[in-house]
Amino acid sequence: TDFDSRKKRKVAEIYQALNSDPIDVATLRRMAISEGGLLTDEIRCKVWPKLLSVNTDDLPPLPAGKELREDNKDYQQVLLDVRRSLRRFPPGMPDDQREGLQEDLIDIILHVLKRNPQLHYYQGYHDIVVTFLLVVGDRLATALVEKLSTHHLRDFMDPTMDNTKHILNYLMPIIDQVNPEVHDFMQSAEVGTIFALSWLITWFGHVLSDFRHVVRLYDFFLACHPLMPIYFAAVIVLHREQEVLDCECDMASVHHLLSQIPQDLPYETLISRAGDLFVQFPPSELAREAAQQQAERTAASTFKDFELASVQQRPDTVLRQRFRERPRAEERTKSVLAKPRTNRFVKLAVMGLTVALGAAALAVVKSALEWAPKFELQIFP
């Protein structure tokens, strides 16, 4: 079938990128983002370390669990969380195998915390670690999780929740850019963003029951900017626009609706849409709105590696969707004029040109990804 031949082509392309010298990380990123992600766990074992620049030839041996557990201030909390993590293991896995993995899980977490005393454990961290453990095994998982904890997850591992809250502050500005009506409804309901907290800090591992969907998202997030999970969260809310607007406009109802995540989401469509939104409304543009609550350094600011490949930008899909929305948008113009926001139609005209010019698409991606212009607030040095 067509799908099988596409899959074969993709596998071949991934191995070609892995075998080239130097390794073609830009292609691996593109493969991780594009439809289907990295396809198999066998490929993930090879590609995930490359996406995180982890050297697999030189993995440290794991210390004995006993010495890690003695006098560890986090041990009791980690133990409780891991004991409660039954549903994160494949259904039907024999008990003794699962219990062995749970012991590994405790050791990996304590090992990373011991080596990085600046990191603080948070509830939900084990949901990320177990995903790596199940895909790549304990030694490689330890190295990947340590790298991830000092980079993408760094803000969640501060002693306070300040930086995590700051990242959640990006959610409403993204929704506002795409659908002011949903944004205003949520503001009126005073629902806040806490419904998305567990999505963000577990990279959706805690809330999605199908492991295949979890690892597909991990492919995507590992290949992207650390703020991509919050764009994905926004896309889920936008996807549920009708349900949100049909809800009672009060905090309890909207919070209840949004915190129950549907399991049958169209993941590929949403991943592609989150990528579009990242290119159209890069964090640097939303930073001012997000920073009204807090002007703090975040890991997002120190993320240098911007090879979000051109596949990330699919202006044609954005445009088609926008033209469908235009009649509604015109009814809204009056309220939009009253509220200063970036002129989306100017942007779309630019994106229209890239569709026409084709070759310019890459340039647009490159410039969209130049992180944070120097504006007054200077949150991102």
Side-chain angles (χ1 to χ4, degrees):
T1 65
D2 180 42
F3 176 70
D4 288 338
S5 63
R6 279 214 312 273
K7 206 165 151 182
K8 279 200 186 96
R9 259 206 316 277
K10 186 168 195 180
V11 170
E13 218 174 323
I14 290 170
Y15 278 103
Q16 192 182 346
L18 282 167
N19 294 327
S20 66
D21 185 17
I23 286 168
D24 182 354
V25 178
T27 293
L28 294 177
R29 272 182 203 290
R30 204 172 71 238
M31 297 289 122
I33 292 166
S34 66
E35 190 181 353
L38 295 171
L39 303 170
T40 70
D41 286 354
E42 189 190 345
I43 291 176
R44 290 183 177 102
C45 290
K46 296 182 167 73
V47 176
W48 282 4
K50 305 297 180 253
L51 296 178
L52 286 170
S53 334
V54 165
N55 178 4
T56 48
D57 300 331
D58 189 25
L59 295 176
L62 284 182
K66 199 159 145 283
E67 43 195 86
L68 277 175
R69 297 172 191 216
E70 283 162 11
D71 319 318
N72 191 304
K73 65 178 174 35
D74 295 301
Y75 174 56
Q76 286 307 323
Q77 184 62 55
V78 172
L79 181 67
L80 285 173
D81 288 347
V82 168
R83 286 216 175 116
R84 282 199 297 257
S85 67
L86 291 185
R87 60 177 206 80
R88 290 302 320 277
F89 293 88
M93 178 181 271
D95 287 354
D96 54 344
Q97 188 186 354
R98 190 203 67 243
E99 284 158 16
L101 285 168
Q102 286 178 307
E103 293 302 307
D104 292 342
L105 183 54
I106 293 170
D107 289 345
I108 293 172
I109 293 171
L110 296 179
H111 175 71
V112 171
L113 293 171
K114 186 172 182 178
R115 280 174 46 106
N116 300 275
Q118 77 282 13
L119 299 178
H120 296 259
Y121 177 76
Y122 63 88
Q123 280 185 287
Y125 181 66
H126 70 287
D127 278 302
I128 288 191
V129 181
V130 73
T131 306
F132 283 91
L133 173 62
L134 290 171
V135 173
V136 303
D138 57 351
R139 274 187 75 190
L140 184 48
T142 306
L144 297 182
V145 165
E146 181 165 12
K147 188 65 171 279
L148 202 66
S149 304
T150 51
H151 289 77
H152 291 62
L153 307 178
R154 179 69 190 84
D155 293 324
F156 310 146
M157 304 192 78
D158 277 345
T160 70
M161 287 275 290
D162 289 351
N163 277 342
T164 304
K165 284 189 199 129
H166 177 64
I167 294 171
L168 280 168
N169 288 340
Y170 279 83
L171 183 71
M172 296 306 284
I174 299 167
I175 292 171
D176 193 23
Q177 291 288 358
V178 180
N179 193 326
E181 190 185 356
V182 169
H183 170 269
D184 296 351
F185 181 88
M186 288 172 71
Q187 293 290 58
S188 306
E190 296 183 346
V191 66
T193 53
I194 219 71
F195 66 85
L197 178 65
S198 66
W199 306 355
L200 180 69
I201 64 176
T202 67
W203 275 13
F204 298 85
H206 186 70
V207 290
L208 298 179
S209 51
D210 189 330
F211 193 67
R212 286 170 320 173
H213 297 149
V214 176
V215 292
R216 170 66 187 104
L217 284 180
Y218 278 44
D219 292 341
F220 177 46
F221 296 151
L222 287 169
C224 292
H225 187 282
L227 283 179
M228 193 54 90
I230 203 73
Y231 282 78
F232 194 77
V235 164
I236 290 178
V237 175
L238 291 161
H239 171 70
R240 302 182 70 192
E241 166 190 11
Q242 212 42 61
E243 288 173 85
V244 173
L245 297 176
D246 290 345
C247 198
E248 289 294 313
C249 188
D250 64 71
M251 189 192 128
S253 311
V254 182
H255 178 85
H256 178 74
L257 171 78
L258 288 173
S259 52
Q260 308 292 314
I261 200 165
Q263 296 294 324
D264 57 347
L265 294 166
Y267 292 93
E268 294 301 336
T269 310
L270 297 183
I271 284 170
S272 159
R273 184 134 196 244
D276 283 346
L277 293 183
F278 185 92
V279 171
Q280 272 189 283
F281 311 111
S284 53
E285 268 192 28
L286 304 171
R288 194 171 295 174
E289 285 176 69
Q292 285 164 352
Q293 289 86 340
Q294 173 208 25
E296 269 279 45
R297 263 183 75 91
T298 63
S301 63
T302 58
F303 188 74
K304 296 276 188 290
D305 189 0
F306 268 122
E307 297 171 87
L308 262 171
S310 55
V311 68
Q312 187 74 17
Q313 184 183 14
R314 302 262 288 284
D316 51 319
T317 57
V318 179
L319 283 168
R320 277 205 297 277
Q321 190 190 335
R322 286 293 186 284
F323 287 127
R324 285 204 299 275
E325 286 176 7
R326 187 165 270 180
R328 283 194 9 241
E330 278 158 7
E331 291 158 32
R332 281 206 314 256
T333 307
K334 291 190 186 70
S335 67
V336 173
L337 286 176
K339 213 173 176 184
R341 37 175 121 243
T342 22
N343 186 332
R344 295 206 293 281
F345 290 111
V346 171
K347 253 202 168 114
L348 292 176
V350 173
M351 295 194 98
L353 281 176
T354 59
V355 179
L357 299 174
L362 195 61
V364 171
V365 174
K366 285 270 193 291
S367 62
L369 296 179
E370 278 163 13
W371 178 243
K374 305 275 184 279
F375 49 76
E376 314 78 278
L377 278 167
Q378 206 46 55
I379 335 168
F380 299 119

